Amino acid sequence: MTDTAVAPRNINISQAVAEGLRLAMEDDDRVLVIGEDVATQGGVFGSTRGLLKAFGPQRVLDTPISEMAFTGMAVGLAMEGYRPVIEIMFVDFIGVCLEQVYNAIAKIPYMSGGRVDMPVVIKTAGGSIGAAAQHSQTLWGLFGHLPGLRVVAPSNPYDSKGMIAAAVASNDPVVFIEHKGLLLERAQDFEFGANVPREAYDVPLDKAAVVRPGSDLTLVTLSGSVRHALTAADAAILSGVDVEVIDLRSIVPIDWDTIGASIAKTRSLLVVDEDYLGYGLSGELITGAIERFGLGSLDYVGRHGNPGVPVPAALSLERQIVPGTESILNAIVRAGAAR
Amino acid sequence: MSDTLTDAQLWRDRYRLMVLMRRFEEACLTGVASKEIHGELHTAIGQEAIAAALAEHIRDGDSLASTHRNHLHAIAKRIPLHPLMAEIFEKETGLCGGFGGHMHLFDRERRFSTTGIVGASLPVALGHAYAAKISGRDSVAFAVIGDGSVNTGGFHETMNMASVLGLALVVIIENNEWAISVPFSAASSTPTLAERASAYSAPGERVDGLDVDATSAAIGRAVAHARSTGPAIVEAMCYRFRGHYEGDLDLYRSQTEKTDRTTTKDPVVLLRAQLRDSGMLDEATLGELEAEASAEIDAVLAAVRAESQPDRSLAHDHVFASGLTVDFGTKGAVA
C-alpha cells in the first residue's frame, strides 16, 4: 500500500480528501459538493479547500444552515443524473436531517425496484476532540443499522484520498465518516498509509486492511482508533500478546474474508470501537464472526469502546469513556489473560 | 366563468380528466375492500380540480415531487395509468415492481417522485430546481404538499433556499383543512398559508381549489414567476372527502360537516353542473365523457387484478444499486 522509499508529502488528511474530491470533480462534471462552509472557507477542517476556485459556485455550493433542505436536494439532484457530495459538518448534526438520508437516499433504490439509484456521498466528520456530547460522536453504528447505506471511515491519509474517490464513483449511497482527530494530522506522522500519490486512485470501499500482523489476538478497529491500537499492540508485546490489528475501513459491508483469515490464526477477537457499544458495530462483528465461522472458531471474544455514555467535556472524563492507547492496551492484556 | 369557457375542447378535457381521476381513486378503494391493497391508502377524492389544473401546466421536462396522497399528481404528470395502478395494487407490473407501493412512486424519466413523510417532498423538489438551474434548462420544479407540510422545518428551509438561489420552484399547497385529526384553524399561525410566502420574498396566492379554471390560472401565474424570478406558492383550498387513510374512523370531523361538504362542494359535480347549465357541454356529451373515463379505468383495473405480486424470491434484491448484499443474519452457527 505504501512505498516507504518515497518521503511522505507534507499534507494533512483534509488536504488528501480535498485532492481526492478535486480529481473526482475533474473527471466527472456531474459531481457536486454541497454544504455549510464548503466553498469560500473550504470546509471547517479544510477538506473541500480549493474546490470553489477550481469548479465555481454552482458545483461547490455554500448553503444556509438548512441540512434538511440540502440533504433532500441530493435526492432530486441524483434523480436528475448528478452525483452530489453532501457535507454534514459534524456527524452529530445528522439528527436534523436523517429523514432524507435514511428514508429517501438509502431506500429509493429499493423502493423503486432498482429503477432509481442514489449515487450520493454523505461526507461528515466524527470522533472525539474534546468537544463533548454533541460534537464528538462517531455514529457509524447508527448508519450501519439502516439498510441501503454503505458506511466507511478511513484511518489514514492514503485511504482518505482513495476512499473518497471510490465513494464518489460508487452508484450506492456512501456515508463517508472522517475522524476530526485525524483530519489535521500530517501524513508524515502516520506509520501506515502515509504516502499520498498525487494522481487519482481508488481504495476499495469493501476491503479491510491488516495494518499489523500478529498471531495471538485479532483486534478489529477503525478510523481514529487504529493508530491508538497500533501503539497499544506494540506495547502489548511486553505482556506476551502478539496482536494482529485490522483496520476495518468499511462498516457496511464488513470484509469477512480478512477477519475470517485472521481469526483462523488467532481464535481470538477483540473489537475496539469509539462508537457506542450497545446495539452497534462491536455486537455485529462478534455475532457475525460466530455466525460465519462457528461457535467453535473462537476462544475469546471481547469489546472495548464507549459503554453507552454521552461523551463528556472534561478531558479526565473523556479519557474514561473514549478508547485511547492506554485503555486499548488494558483491553488487550485482559484478552490475553482470558485466552 | 372565464373567457376560456369558450374553448369547448379545453372543458371537455378538463371534465374528462377530473372524472378519470375520480374513477381512478374509486378503483383503488375497491382494492382496499378486496384486500388486494394492504396497508394505508390515502385518496384525494374531492381534490381533483387541483391536479387537473396542474396537468395543464406541467411539462415533460418539469419535475414533480409529491406526497402520501399522490395518485392524482402522478396522473397529472402523465405517469401511465396501468403501471401506476399496478404499483398501488402491489403488483410486479407496477411502476416500481411492487417494491414501493402507493406512497413510494418513482419515475426517473418523468422526474416524478413521492414520499410518505409529510414535508419531505419539498427538499427533493429543491434538488430538481437546482439541477435545472445549473444545467441551464428552463424546467420548473413542482412540489405538491398538504397544509400539514407547511408547518415542517423543511418547508421553511426549502422556501428560503429556493429564494436565495432564485430557483424555479412552484409549491402547490392542497389545503384540505385537516392534518389527519388536527384542523387547519388549530395548526396555523397565519390565516392563510399563501401569506407565508412573503417571508421568502415570494408571491403567494390562495385560490378556490374546487375551481379548476381559477386554480389553473393561479398555477400559471406561479409558473411564470418561477421561470423569471424564483419560488412561488399557490394555496388551493379543498376538502378531503375520505378519512386520512382508508380505515380512518374519521370521528374528528362532524357528520354534518362531512355531509355538507361532500354533497355541496364536490368539484366534479360542481363542474358538471356548471358546464351543463352554461350550455358548454350537453348532457349527452357529459355522459359520453364519463363513460369513456369509466371504461378506461375499468380496463386498467381488470388488467391489474389479473396480474401477480412480485415473486417472494425478489425480496432481497435492489437494496444496493451495485448489487451488493450484506446478508445480516442469514448464517447460522454451530460449535
Side-chain angles (χ1 to χ4, degrees), chain A:
Chain A
M1 172 168 91
T2 307
D3 182 355
T4 49
V6 180
R9 292 163 61 195
N10 182 28
I11 63 171
N12 62 30
I13 287 193
S14 281
Q15 289 169 298
V17 171
E19 189 169 273
L21 283 171
R22 180 174 58 75
L23 292 166
M25 294 180 80
E26 279 173 5
D27 185 54
D28 186 344
D29 59 16
R30 299 170 302 172
V31 180
L32 312 173
V33 173
I34 296 171
E36 293 155 7
D37 307 295
V38 297
T40 304
Q41 174 156 342
V44 294
F45 297 102
S47 61
T48 55
R49 196 161 293 160
L51 301 181
L52 174 65
K53 191 173 174 206
F55 305 107
Q58 290 198 333
R59 293 186 65 195
V60 186
L61 178 65
D62 266 338
T63 66
I65 300 175
S66 300
E67 283 92 351
M68 198 184 303
F70 70 73
T71 305
M73 274 178 84
V75 177
L77 285 164
M79 281 191 68
E80 296 270 358
Y82 286 95
R83 305 180 74 86
V85 177
I86 299 298
E87 178 162 294
I88 305 298
M89 189 187 290
F90 283 33
V91 73
D92 313 72
F93 307 166
I94 200 69
V96 300
C97 60
L98 186 61
E99 157 53 27
Q100 294 289 350
V101 176
Y102 87 127
N103 265 328
I105 294 168
K107 290 179 186 164
I108 285 175
Y110 188 82
M111 294 192 295
S112 68
R115 291 158 177 81
V116 180
D117 59 4
M118 283 283 128
V120 176
V121 179
I122 307 294
K123 173 185 175 300
T124 186
S128 290
I129 49 164
Q134 296 179 341
H135 287 70
S136 294
Q137 300 170 97
T138 57
L139 299 184
W140 40 65
L142 171 71
F143 294 109
H145 182 66
L146 305 167
L149 299 170
R150 286 180 181 263
V151 186
V152 300
S155 68
N156 62 73
Y158 179 88
D159 286 356
S160 295
K161 177 177 169 181
M163 287 169 72
I164 193 70
V168 172
S170 172
N171 287 332
D172 300 324
V174 181
V175 181
F176 181 90
I177 306 174
E178 301 150 340
H179 194 288
K180 298 192 293 289
L182 299 177
L183 282 171
L184 302 181
E185 295 287 312
R186 316 299 307 180
Q188 65 258 31
D189 296 332
F190 284 80
E191 45 180 308
F192 59 106
N195 283 334
V196 181
R198 290 181 189 279
E199 64 274 16
Y201 62 92
D202 281 1
V203 169
L205 293 177
D206 55 359
K207 293 279 181 286
V210 177
V211 289
R212 183 191 193 281
S215 55
D216 298 335
L217 173 68
T218 299
L219 189 160
V220 179
T221 189
L222 73 167
S223 185
S225 297
V226 176
R227 56 183 181 158
H228 301 317
L230 286 173
T231 307
D234 288 344
I237 289 294
L238 296 174
S239 306
V241 188
D242 184 17
V243 182
E244 178 146 300
V245 177
I246 293 177
D247 176 2
L248 197 59
R249 286 181 174 150
S250 172
I251 294 95
V252 178
I254 293 168
D255 176 5
W256 289 111
D257 290 344
T258 297
I259 293 170
S262 182
I263 288 173
K265 255 190 326 192
T266 66
R267 299 185 52 79
S268 299
L269 174 62
L270 172 65
V271 180
V272 174
D273 185 4
E274 188 178 336
D275 200 0
Y276 306 121
L277 290 183
Y279 300 91
L281 175 64
S282 58
E284 191 56 52
L285 283 168
I286 291 167
T287 307
I290 291 169
E291 286 174 333
R292 282 167 179 76
F293 310 120
L295 287 163
S297 66
L298 289 159
D299 298 325
Y300 173 84
V301 294
R303 50 179 168 163
H304 170 57
N306 183 312
V309 177
V311 177
L315 185 58
S316 59
L317 300 175
E318 188 190 78
R319 282 185 177 145
Q320 265 315 104
I321 300 300
V322 179
T325 302
E326 197 181 321
S327 71
I328 296 171
L329 178 58
N330 290 339
I332 293 170
V333 171
R334 280 200 304 277
R339 283 169 60 242

Side-chain angles (χ1 to χ4, degrees), chain B residues 40-44 68-69 102-103 116 118 176 178-181 240-250 252-253:
Chain B
E40 291 173 277
L41 183 81
H42 313 90
T43 69
H68 57 288
R69 201 175 304 286
H102 102 98
M103 274 191 282
V118 169
N176 65 21
W178 291 88
I180 306 188
S181 67
R240 159 161 63 73
F241 279 24
R242 307 286 299 181
H244 166 64
Y245 67 100
E246 289 309 304
D248 182 359
L249 292 175
D250 198 359
Y252 43 85
R253 301 188 295 186

Side-chain angles (χ1 to χ4, degrees), chain B residues 73 80 110 180 185 202 229-230 247 259 309:
Chain B
H73 310 144
R110 293 181 180 80
I180 306 188
S185 58
T229 312
T259 304
Q309 292 196 345

Side-chain angles (χ1 to χ4, degrees), chain B residues 107-119:
Chain B
D107 187 330
R108 163 171 256 159
E109 209 175 295
R110 293 181 180 80
R111 295 184 162 91
F112 177 75
S113 69
T114 71
T115 173
I117 308 299
V118 169

